[in-house]
Amino acid sequence: VTFVPVVLAFAFGAWSLVRRWRRGKPVQRTDNWRERLDGFFRDAVAQEQIRKGDRRAGFFHVLISWGFVVLFIGTTVVFIHADLRIPLMQGWFYLVFQSLVLDLLGLGAIVGLLIALWNRYVIRPRRLTHGVWSDGFILVSLLVIMVTGFLVEGLRIVATQDPWAAWSPVGTATGRLLAAAGLSGFDAQLAAHRFLWWFHMAVSFVFIGYIPFSKMMHMFTSPAAIFTRNLGNKGKLEPIDMESMEEGQVLGVRTLTDFTWKDLLDLDACTECGRCQAVCPAFAVGKPLNPKYIILNMQEQMTAEMGRFPWDKPAGEARPIVGTSIEPEALWSCTTCLACVEACPVEIEHVRKIVDLRRYLVMEEADFPETAQAAVQDLEDRGHQFRGSDASRSDWYADLPYVRELAEAGQAEYLFFVGDAIAFNQRTQNIARAMAKIMHEAGLDFAVLGEEETNSGDVARRIGNEYLYEMFARQNIETFQRYGVKKIVTTDPHVFHTFKNEYPDFGGEFEVIHHSQLIQQLLDEGRIQVEKGRFDRVTYHDPCYLGRHNGEYDAPRFVVDALGAQRIEMERSRERAFCCGAGGGRYFMDDAPGQRINVARAQEAAATGADTVCTACPFCMLMLEDGLATVASETGETEPRVVAKDLAELVAEALIVESEEAQAGGVSA
């Protein structure tokens, strides 16, 4: 009888949340059930992502959550057995599960709660939000429920002299402690048992009814977000169907209802763990971006505008998100590195939301930073963003006779797509020369587009100009198809990601290979040979668009190891690698003094004691080179102690060259 209103309150609170999410746009997130269930059991049930990100927090979270899940099952069994009169608690099931397992997991939950309280109020990690009364209330309430549960069990065991008490070790120990403390008479034990039984039930029921109206609802919203997660590439952006847009529909996202229902679910799924904040490079250097508050501030705006209950009146007209819950400066600080998405244990998609908000500002309001505007204008006028460069797309191979253009070759097995970051920068042109030398020595049939090559559109898209991106995408796809291109090799992970994951939306299906992958393949097959020992200590920097966006961590490390160098990992590497600061169009935007991400990463590279920091991205190479120069000047060095080079440059320098043409072409240091 008392549980009925609790169930109704819980159902009402849950429906109130679902009602808000339903105001978002439709999106398909319930397909591929097998894959979704695999992820659900891995990250929601086994909590692999939680345990991987922070061992201490993962440990106590598993203890608490599993303890309460199993105890809830056990309590349900008691209800079925005692109230519905269906005999379940008997035999080995009663002894092993209902007694021993519940006791041990209950004790584990108490230990987990004590560690959680210690973590929050003594250790006080920076990533957590402190001073919120509900955090302590929730933990203490759970602790009260657990402790009173054992008190009730202990009193029952000692009062009835349960012959199976040994199977409930924690309850038995609790009962004996109570008896030793003076609660030894049967009448006293019975009275205490009755009081605590009702008290335990009342606290438990009130807590259950409170769940949908507190952050504890993440027990349900987080698994829902995990189940409905994006099954594709995490960094892939969805195109805007501009031709079928309805009247009044905006480009990008202006208000909360411009998001999909999954985006709105994400806002309520946030556990406020702060792991996204802890790994965000922009936040780390003091920029006005905190991915945790990007989500929580929009959640607060959703509650204010849509109400928490069906009878809540909307707070007037829906307000723009930017300027209401998110400041523009925070939005433009994002490097789209995916560190926040990788760290989030409940699959919240921060970066997609940020880019969708940028799209509205850029395409509807033309309101974005001047430096970003200049980059977009240069793309429109020149087809590249490197204003002031007097280089042409063919300069880098002018003295390399083995580099052919597709226009003259007609066809080639590999198209070597160089990209703007290399073609228009004298320093990075050396990367293209090195890669061409490697491919030629391996005997590969490759060609370039030369002056026909144009921008991939990646920067325009990440800044938010979908119009311009689509123009470049369609132009490139038409060129590739005209020449019958099947395989594309590139040294730029941004180009690699865009061609591989986003061009298929426009009909561009090609085999796209990053140069680190191709070099590994050539070494594996023995098509190129390198002199070992030319490099001493090398540390490798993971480009975000090669690593987190595309999961390639091993190929570059294989190549470094093949060179015989001592590979030293930075403190943050692979999935946890710290961004160089160039992504999301940030390479073309200004940084305030003391807020340069590349300097922070250069300091990490220098701290390894390596002689060379190697990367596999021209943007990363330029950012690291600049950062290392800054670090050197700050420490009084005349020249940087650590040299930044691309993977292809290292291989080309160590390449055992047999062909005369490659020897003549060479690669400058």
Side-chain angles (χ1 to χ4, degrees):
V1 172
T2 53
F3 193 55
V4 169
V6 172
V7 171
L8 292 176
F10 183 94
F12 175 75
W15 168 247
S16 298
L17 292 177
V18 173
R19 179 186 60 88
R20 302 199 308 192
W21 307 335
R22 286 166 58 90
R23 296 184 62 179
K25 293 179 178 178
V27 64
Q28 175 57 268
R29 289 298 179 87
T30 55
D31 55 342
N32 299 319
W33 273 67
R34 176 174 294 182
E35 188 175 354
R36 294 191 180 281
L37 285 173
D38 285 345
F40 175 83
F41 283 110
R42 182 184 64 249
D43 291 331
V45 179
Q47 302 182 22
E48 179 180 307
Q49 185 76 345
I50 294 176
R51 291 184 284 112
K52 181 173 67 174
D54 182 328
R55 291 184 179 179
R56 181 176 65 245
F59 176 67
F60 72 67
H61 193 277
V62 168
L63 288 178
I64 295 170
S65 58
W66 266 99
F68 272 90
V69 166
V70 174
L71 285 167
F72 183 80
I73 294 171
T75 305
T76 304
V77 169
V78 174
F79 164 72
I80 295 172
H81 179 94
D83 296 321
L84 301 184
R85 309 297 186 190
I86 301 174
L88 292 178
M89 296 201 304
Q90 54 191 7
W92 285 106
F93 174 75
Y94 170 72
L95 293 177
V96 176
F97 178 77
Q98 203 67 15
S99 299
L100 182 61
V101 171
L102 262 63
D103 252 37
L104 295 179
L105 287 179
L107 178 62
I110 289 178
V111 171
L113 286 165
L114 293 174
I115 298 174
L117 284 165
W118 180 268
N119 185 65
R120 178 169 287 276
Y121 294 105
V122 178
I123 298 177
R124 297 177 65 84
R126 185 187 178 199
R127 61 182 174 82
L128 297 179
T129 303
H130 299 285
V132 181
W133 71 270
S134 60
D135 295 333
F137 174 78
I138 287 171
L139 291 174
V140 171
S141 297
L142 292 174
L143 192 59
V144 168
I145 291 171
M146 290 304 312
V147 171
T148 55
F150 276 120
L151 291 174
V152 168
E153 182 189 34
L155 287 168
R156 175 189 62 77
I157 289 172
V158 296
T160 62
Q161 298 183 1
D162 188 346
W164 307 106
W167 290 87
S168 303
V170 183
T172 300
T174 304
R176 288 175 179 172
L177 285 173
L178 290 173
L183 200 62
S184 56
F186 178 82
D187 290 340
Q189 290 170 350
L190 179 61
H193 181 274
R194 284 175 173 169
F195 170 78
L196 286 170
W197 192 94
W198 282 98
F199 180 77
H200 173 78
M201 188 195 72
V203 174
S204 301
F205 283 9
V206 169
F207 187 81
I208 291 170
Y210 170 69
I211 286 174
F213 309 99
S214 71
K215 70 165 62 175
M216 278 303 294
M217 191 58 182
H218 82 265
M219 292 164 39
F220 301 93
T221 54
S222 295
I226 291 171
F227 181 80
T228 58
R229 71 195 184 283
N230 169 35
L231 296 180
N233 182 280
K234 289 185 177 182
K236 178 182 180 294
L237 298 177
E238 296 301 321
I240 297 176
D241 187 358
M242 302 182 192
E243 295 181 359
S244 61
M245 289 184 63
E246 300 176 1
E247 186 178 351
Q249 186 177 343
V250 300
L251 295 166
V253 168
R254 176 180 179 269
T255 65
L256 289 166
T257 52
D258 293 324
F259 278 130
T260 68
W261 64 261
K262 171 59 168 68
D263 290 314
L264 300 183
L265 165 61
D266 280 354
L267 304 186
D268 280 322
C270 180
T271 64
E272 303 181 33
C273 68
R275 296 189 186 195
C276 56
Q277 167 188 315
V279 299
C280 176
F283 179 81
V285 298
K287 292 181 184 292
L289 169 63
N290 186 328
K292 179 176 76 171
Y293 285 112
I294 288 283
I295 300 300
L296 293 180
N297 289 349
M298 286 195 289
Q299 180 195 91
E300 186 177 335
Q301 182 178 348
M302 180 166 64
T303 299
E305 291 184 358
M306 300 182 185
R308 188 63 181 79
F309 305 108
W311 59 75
D312 286 340
K313 294 181 180 180
E317 184 180 352
R319 294 168 294 174
I321 295 170
V322 180
T324 300
S325 57
I326 300 175
E327 293 303 316
E329 293 78 10
L331 206 63
W332 295 110
S333 296
C334 180
T335 66
T336 67
C337 70
L338 283 191
C340 53
V341 177
E342 181 70 32
C344 181
V346 297
E347 300 285 349
I348 291 174
E349 299 163 27
H350 310 70
V351 172
R352 290 189 182 201
K353 295 173 181 55
I354 287 173
V355 174
D356 277 338
L357 291 165
R358 286 182 174 187
R359 283 170 164 174
Y360 172 77
L361 292 180
V362 171
M363 292 188 289
E364 296 278 7
E365 300 289 337
D367 182 12
F368 55 116
E370 289 185 8
T371 47
Q373 290 184 34
V376 170
Q377 189 64 52
D378 288 341
L379 281 170
E380 293 176 346
D381 296 342
R382 300 177 176 83
H384 67 83
Q385 316 96 303
F386 292 86
R387 179 181 299 186
S389 172
D390 56 0
S392 73
R393 292 187 182 272
S394 57
D395 283 355
W396 68 269
Y397 60 90
D399 61 340
L400 301 181
Y402 49 79
V403 178
R404 303 175 302 155
E405 295 182 3
L406 268 179
E408 64 182 51
Q411 195 171 356
E413 183 181 2
Y414 294 94
L415 165 65
F416 181 24
F417 193 96
V418 178
D420 295 3
I422 287 179
F424 298 103
N425 186 288
Q426 189 173 3
R427 168 64 186 89
T428 51
Q429 285 177 1
N430 196 50
I431 299 173
R433 294 172 62 85
M435 192 60 204
K437 177 181 178 180
I438 293 166
M439 289 192 289
H440 175 65
E441 186 60 26
L444 298 186
D445 176 24
F446 74 96
V448 297
L449 285 170
E451 297 302 329
E452 283 191 86
E453 184 178 295
T454 190
N455 191 272
S456 69
D458 165 75
V459 171
R461 184 170 230 197
R462 265 67 199 176
I463 286 176
N465 194 321
E466 189 72 8
Y467 280 126
L468 192 55
Y469 163 75
E470 187 170 331
M471 182 191 77
F472 282 122
R474 295 190 184 281
Q475 181 179 344
N476 279 318
I477 291 169
E478 189 278 328
T479 301
F480 299 160
Q481 291 174 342
R482 174 159 44 89
Y483 282 113
V485 171
K486 303 297 182 185
K487 298 179 181 179
I488 302 173
V489 177
T490 182
T491 56
D492 187 339
H494 300 262
V495 173
F496 171 71
H497 173 76
T498 303
F499 286 0
K500 179 182 177 182
N501 301 304
E502 298 179 340
Y503 273 26
D505 287 332
F506 300 91
E509 299 279 355
F510 311 100
E511 182 182 349
V512 188
I513 308 161
H514 187 258
H515 75 304
S516 64
Q517 298 170 329
L518 182 59
I519 293 172
Q520 179 191 20
Q521 179 185 335
L522 296 175
L523 287 167
D524 262 343
E525 295 173 353
R527 299 184 68 171
I528 57 173
Q529 302 293 326
V530 292
E531 178 188 346
K532 296 181 181 293
R534 285 183 65 96
F535 306 99
D536 187 8
R537 293 169 296 177
V538 176
T539 186
Y540 174 69
H541 164 78
D542 290 279
C544 301
Y545 274 73
L546 182 62
R548 278 187 292 267
H549 280 70
N550 287 282
E552 184 56 84
Y553 302 102
D554 296 328
R557 287 174 170 81
F558 174 92
V559 175
V560 172
D561 293 343
L563 292 169
Q566 178 189 357
R567 176 164 54 85
I568 309 171
E569 294 287 358
M570 285 185 246
E571 182 180 353
R572 289 179 282 193
S573 62
R574 300 182 74 91
E575 295 90 345
R576 296 179 58 250
F578 196 73
C579 179
C580 76
R586 285 297 317 174
Y587 184 85
F588 304 98
M589 301 184 209
D590 293 332
D591 282 322
Q595 294 185 347
R596 297 176 62 192
I597 295 172
N598 63 324
V599 173
R601 187 55 166 171
Q603 289 170 339
E604 286 191 11
T608 64
D611 307 304
T612 304
V613 54
C614 165
T615 188
C617 170
F619 284 108
C620 290
M621 204 277 296
L622 290 170
M623 295 295 279
L624 287 170
E625 196 167 66
D626 178 74
L628 289 167
T630 301
V631 171
S633 66
E634 290 175 350
T635 55
E637 299 174 9
T638 55
E639 290 185 3
R641 180 183 57 80
V642 186
V643 178
K645 290 192 175 183
D646 187 86
L647 196 70
E649 294 178 294
L650 297 185
V651 174
E653 288 180 36
L655 196 63
I656 299 174
V657 179
E658 297 179 0
S659 63
E660 294 181 4
E661 283 183 327
Q663 288 177 347
V667 178
S668 59

